[in-house]
């Protein structure tokens, strides 16, 4: 999970959108649920570090590389360890979108099929019926379960600043 506290809130915008990953999974057609039940993808911080051609500070890149394994496989559907509920488990900012594979057979999906499937799956978390919007105010705190939700920080507050303090609690390996 993660806990964030707002230190400085902009006068407008800067909300965080949370999407229910269980609802996103259950909202998929049954044939897609079946198709992704044995699929995994490679989560790669290199995808995140190279987003939009913006160069990250080298000290930050070195720190990330020292702390986080490069290219970790995760299932697209994970089981929540406490509730045992299935949920959609992917993030477009980290997933190598052309590299899905069947984790039972180790067979890769063809690149075009992988990209098409990931594109459809990523749309699920952006559906408004699966989201809630959290409005930050100075001193407010949000605590969420990274195993059950996706979050997105809206950056619609320019030229103002939003500053949060965040702690992330490590969890168990997804299954």
């Amino acid at each position: 999970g993660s806990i964030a506290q707002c230190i400085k809130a902009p006068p407008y915008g800067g909300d965080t959108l949370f999407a229910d990953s269980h609802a996103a999974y259950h909202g998929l057609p049954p044939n897609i649920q079946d198709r992704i039940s044995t699929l995994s993808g490679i989560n790669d911080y290199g995808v995140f570090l190279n987003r939009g051609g913006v160069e990250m500070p080298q000290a930050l890149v070195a720190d990330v590389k020292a702390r986080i394994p490069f290219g970790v496989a995760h299932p697209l559907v994970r089981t929540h360890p406490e509730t045992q509920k299935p949920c959609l488990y992917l993030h477009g900012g980290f997933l190598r979108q052309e590299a899905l594979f069947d984790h039972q057979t180790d067979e890769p999906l063809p690149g075009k099929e992988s990209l098409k499937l990931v594109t459809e799956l990523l749309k699920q978390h952006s559906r408004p019926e699966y989201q809630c919007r959290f409005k930050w105010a100075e001193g407010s705190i949000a605590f969420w379960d990274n195993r059950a939700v996706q979050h997105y920080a809206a950056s619609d507050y320019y030229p103002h600043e939003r500053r949060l303090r965040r702690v992330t609690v490590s969890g168990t390996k997804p299954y």
Side-chain angles (χ1 to χ4, degrees), residues 43-58:
N43 283 347
D44 179 352
Y45 61 78
V47 173
F48 176 77
L49 293 176
N50 295 316
R51 282 176 74 176
V54 176
E55 190 171 325
M56 302 286 280
Q58 290 305 305

Side-chain angles (χ1 to χ4, degrees), residues 8-15 153-163:
K8 184 172 185 177
Y12 56 82
D15 299 350
S155 50
D156 56 354
Y157 48 88
Y158 181 82
H160 303 284
E161 181 181 9
R162 182 187 81 165
R163 191 175 322 137

Side-chain angles (χ1 to χ4, degrees), residues 134-147:
F134 186 81
K135 174 120 181 90
W136 292 100
E138 289 183 17
S140 61
I141 296 173
F143 184 8
W144 64 94
D145 186 340
N146 285 314
R147 302 166 301 180

Side-chain angles (χ1 to χ4, degrees), residues 2 9 14-15 29 34 38 41 48 62 71 92 94 96 100 107 110 132 135 137 147-148 151-153 157 164 169 171:
S2 291
D15 299 350
D34 290 343
T38 62
F48 176 77
F94 293 96
R96 290 186 200 161
L100 297 183
E107 289 290 318
C132 73
K135 174 120 181 90
R147 302 166 301 180
H151 70 283
Y152 175 80
Y157 48 88
L164 304 177
V169 181

Side-chain angles (χ1 to χ4, degrees), residues 11-96:
Y12 56 82
D15 299 350
T16 297
L17 290 80
F18 292 97
D20 183 333
S21 294
H22 298 295
Y25 171 77
H26 287 293
L28 291 167
N31 65 318
I32 302 279
Q33 289 179 4
D34 290 343
R35 179 68 180 112
I36 66 174
S37 67
T38 62
L39 295 182
S40 286
I42 303 295
N43 283 347
D44 179 352
Y45 61 78
V47 173
F48 176 77
L49 293 176
N50 295 316
R51 282 176 74 176
V54 176
E55 190 171 325
M56 302 286 280
Q58 290 305 305
L60 177 60
V61 171
D63 185 53
V64 168
K65 287 181 177 180
R67 293 173 187 247
I68 302 173
F70 186 76
V72 178
H74 287 296
L76 296 184
V77 179
R78 76 166 293 169
T79 302
H80 193 283
E82 274 104 43
T83 66
Q84 300 303 302
K85 292 180 181 179
C87 68
L88 194 54
Y89 191 65
L90 74 159
H91 187 288
F94 293 96
L95 181 66
R96 290 186 200 161

